[in-house]
Amino acid sequence: MKKILSIYLLSALLLFSGCSKFLEEDPKHLITIENYYATEADAISAVNSLYAYLNSISTGSTAGVYHSTFWVTTGLASDEMENRQVAAPYFDLISNFTVNSSNPALEEIWTMHYKVITLANICTNRIPKIEMNEALRNRLVGEAKFLRALIYFNLVRMFGNVPLLLNEDEDLYPTNTPVADIYNAIENDLTDAIAALPLNYPPGNGRGRATRGAAYALRAKMYLTNQQWQKAADDCREVIQSNEYDLWEDFAEVFKHRNRGGKEAVFSVGFGDANGAIIFWEVGQFNVRLLPPELSVEGVQNAQGWQVPTMYLYNAYENGDRRKEVTFITEINNNGIIETIRPYVQKYWDREMEPKGNESSNDFPVIRYADVLLMYAEANNELDRSSIAHEYINKIRKRARFNGTTYLPVVPDYSGLSKEQMREAILKERFLELAFEGHRYFDLVRTNQLIQKVPLAKPGVTPTAKHYLMPIPLRELDTNPNLKQNDLHTSGN
């Protein structure tokens, strides 16, 4: 295991050595494993390397956690997305709920998540021993714990009782850990992060870094998943009352390059560049994967349309809902002739900044403020605080009425909904507001709606109870004799 950890660390250091500045604190010298973790600069570079593994494709044979595979998988395993990527038939298996433990996408997700965990464990174990500014040291450890919590939250929701590794000298063949223990570790990490992280960073120095608000929001999502409604509401309220975040009046502003890291970004993963400075964060694949290949007539050469929205999702929006026109593209200009095409996803495409619509430097929104408001509405609905639930879901609906100039008589406020009606309304609002942002599979699982909703969007596709988790990759089971398949996939993989 020590050898494996060293390989992961070395790859991270080599990755980091070529960067400029997205996370502003950026040492300019190459550091080797032998002299590492001796100085303040070492601590900063180590934590920065953690962020790199969220996005970079310079991490070996696989892409970073949020580069493509993870959010594509969670979209396909739901009612929001279908696969058109002929060269990736394993995505069809996910979309059709015939996935098994040999699926390459699941293997990649597992590998990249545990690479981040390995590096986070080294950071949390070694940085506290460095003689350096105490406040900075605590903050850096807090960032590492936040990222470790985020990664474990992804893993436990996707695979269930995965191995829990919190130290750099772990057993080479770890066993499965009970889900409750994993959630306890996530909660501990986020509680520590809340105590250590700042509310914000000085302007121009910290875009993309974890904040106290991000830690509260992630912990709220964890509590919501575990139906700890009061704790979820309390943490959402901390984010709201911090006054660090707000909604853009126009939904279209959320995905503009000029607003990356802006008031609605609670935690985002950056790609491509930071204020014009090219860095080692490679470009994202939002446009390549989601924009229609028919755009070639407008000069877009690399739009592949590999993943497409279900018509069920497209038809779920009211006409006039601003989110519909921002999220989807349904027309192309072919030499002055407007042609209608089936809906594709354009929400990440800033036409002004990336007119060719090929590779993207947009951020991936892990947690947006709109998500926090909807979580707050949900928690309060479960606590029988109907007026609060109505107030906060209607904040989201009000914005959906704004067409960029005025508020239209569409997407009306909800009033008088019963508790069960509000549950369904919130689930639908999350569907419309957060499409293609990596939430839908987890939302359907935690609300026990996966089996009911997917066939409505994909006739003939019938998820079963076992699909409330993904199978632990067979490669891991073959390599580690102590690791067992999760309970939902023990009979057949």
Side-chain angles (χ1 to χ4, degrees):
M1 176 58 77
K2 289 183 179 180
K3 181 178 180 181
I4 294 173
L5 296 181
S6 296
I7 291 172
Y8 283 179
L9 177 57
L10 180 59
S11 65
L13 295 176
L14 292 174
L15 173 66
F16 181 77
S17 65
C19 74
S20 181
K21 52 181 183 179
F22 174 82
L23 305 172
E24 292 291 325
E25 298 149 322
D26 179 8
K28 304 300 181 185
H29 59 284
L30 178 63
I31 304 170
T32 64
I33 293 175
E34 287 72 21
N35 66 4
Y36 205 62
Y37 290 93
T39 69
E40 183 174 290
D42 295 348
I44 293 169
S45 68
V47 173
N48 283 1
S49 72
L50 279 174
Y51 290 97
Y53 272 87
L54 299 183
N55 47 27
S56 179
I57 59 173
S58 296
T59 54
S61 61
T62 57
V65 169
Y66 288 98
H67 181 266
S68 50
T69 304
F70 177 68
W71 63 265
V72 169
T73 295
T74 57
L76 290 172
S78 76
D79 52 359
E80 76 173 7
M81 186 190 291
E82 294 178 304
N83 186 53
R84 296 285 179 88
Q85 191 174 357
V86 176
Y90 51 86
F91 278 145
D92 287 325
L93 302 180
I94 293 169
S95 181
N96 296 331
F97 289 87
T98 54
V99 64
N100 61 35
S101 60
S102 299
N103 194 284
L106 301 184
E107 291 178 355
E108 179 178 311
I109 290 168
W110 183 283
T111 297
M112 287 310 304
H113 279 67
Y114 272 104
K115 283 187 177 183
V116 176
I117 288 167
T118 297
L119 294 174
N121 290 345
I122 296 171
C123 287
T124 58
N125 290 178
R126 296 194 189 186
I127 290 176
K129 301 172 185 177
I130 299 176
E131 292 186 10
M132 57 181 287
N133 178 275
E134 182 179 3
L136 176 58
R137 181 175 60 207
N138 291 341
R139 193 202 84 196
L140 291 172
V141 173
E143 290 181 69
K145 288 187 174 182
F146 170 85
L147 295 173
R148 183 169 67 183
L150 173 65
I151 292 302
Y152 268 122
F153 188 49
N154 288 345
L155 285 173
V156 72
R157 290 184 297 165
M158 181 168 279
F159 297 108
N161 56 343
V162 300
L164 178 64
L165 311 176
L166 299 175
N167 298 291
E168 57 180 295
D169 295 317
E170 295 280 3
D171 192 324
L172 182 59
Y173 300 112
T175 60
N176 304 75
T177 301
V179 167
D181 292 344
I182 299 171
Y183 276 115
N184 186 59
I186 294 170
E187 182 177 25
N188 289 340
D189 270 355
L190 291 174
T191 300
D192 290 346
I194 287 167
L197 295 175
L199 279 173
N200 53 49
Y201 294 86
N205 184 17
R207 176 182 152 233
R209 305 199 85 96
T211 62
R212 191 182 311 163
Y216 270 123
L218 182 58
R219 196 172 69 172
K221 191 175 287 289
M222 182 205 72
Y223 286 142
L224 202 75
T225 300
N226 290 316
Q227 300 185 359
Q228 295 173 276
W229 310 119
Q230 186 59 59
K231 289 184 176 181
D234 290 345
D235 278 2
C236 287
R237 187 168 59 249
E238 290 285 349
V239 179
I240 294 166
Q241 293 183 347
S242 73
N243 295 318
E244 292 290 327
Y245 311 98
D246 202 356
L247 297 176
W248 296 104
E249 184 178 23
D250 185 355
F251 183 74
E253 292 296 313
V254 177
F255 308 101
K256 297 294 186 183
H257 279 229
R258 62 177 175 265
N259 294 329
R260 292 175 299 178
K263 61 184 179 180
E264 194 162 335
V266 179
F267 185 73
S268 299
V269 173
F271 288 89
D273 70 273
N275 300 321
I278 302 302
I279 57 166
F280 68 96
W281 272 256
E282 274 84 354
V283 288
Q285 284 198 338
F286 315 118
N287 294 336
V288 171
R289 288 187 171 276
L290 300 177
L291 289 179
E294 291 93 336
L295 273 174
S296 60
V297 299
E298 295 186 26
V300 176
Q301 301 300 318
N302 200 29
Q304 302 295 323
W306 285 334
Q307 282 79 43
V308 299
T310 63
M311 292 305 298
Y312 176 74
L313 169 61
Y314 178 76
N315 291 328
Y317 293 82
E318 293 181 38
N319 289 329
D321 187 330
R322 178 67 159 173
R323 296 170 300 189
K324 188 173 188 177
E325 65 175 289
V326 170
T327 300
F328 304 105
I329 179 173
T330 58
E331 295 180 340
I332 57 170
N333 187 338
N334 188 356
N335 294 319
I337 300 173
I338 303 301
E339 298 181 356
T340 300
I341 59 173
R342 69 98 67 212
Y344 285 80
V345 177
Q346 67 170 357
K347 72 187 294 182
Y348 295 108
W349 185 22
D350 186 330
R351 287 177 180 249
E352 180 180 351
M353 295 299 297
E354 297 174 340
K356 292 186 179 299
N358 295 327
E359 297 170 324
S360 178
S361 296
N362 218 327
D363 286 358
F364 183 82
V366 179
I367 305 177
R368 284 201 283 121
Y369 188 55
D371 186 4
V372 175
L373 298 185
L374 289 171
M375 287 195 292
Y376 192 53
E378 184 173 343
N380 278 286
N381 184 57
E382 297 299 331
L383 292 166
D384 297 314
R385 299 167 184 162
S386 177
S387 62
I388 298 177
H390 280 81
E391 176 185 357
Y392 279 85
I393 192 174
N394 285 336
K395 288 179 183 291
I396 304 302
R397 291 180 66 78
K398 177 183 178 180
R399 178 169 69 177
R401 295 195 288 271
F402 187 71
N403 70 354
T405 305
T406 188
Y407 289 88
L408 301 177
V410 296
V411 196
D413 281 357
Y414 286 123
S415 63
L417 298 187
S418 68
K419 188 173 185 176
E420 184 56 41
Q421 288 172 330
M422 180 58 76
R423 283 175 179 158
E424 184 64 25
I426 292 170
L427 184 61
K428 181 177 180 180
E429 210 64 34
R430 293 182 63 82
F431 191 34
L432 306 179
E433 177 72 23
L434 304 173
F436 303 93
E437 297 180 33
H439 299 288
R440 186 59 175 175
Y441 172 70
F442 298 126
D443 282 347
L444 292 180
V445 167
R446 69 178 178 78
T447 59
N448 201 33
Q449 291 290 307
L450 185 71
I451 294 172
Q452 292 82 358
K453 297 293 186 186
V454 168
L456 300 177
K458 302 175 179 178
V461 175
T462 54
T464 63
K466 75 175 184 178
H467 295 116
Y468 279 79
L469 288 176
M470 296 290 176
I472 293 174
L474 181 62
R475 182 181 62 190
E476 302 301 320
L477 300 173
D478 288 344
T479 303
N480 179 0
N482 295 329
L483 186 64
K484 308 301 180 186
Q485 186 57 269
N486 62 56
D487 290 342
L488 295 185
H489 290 271
T490 51
S491 57
N493 56 19

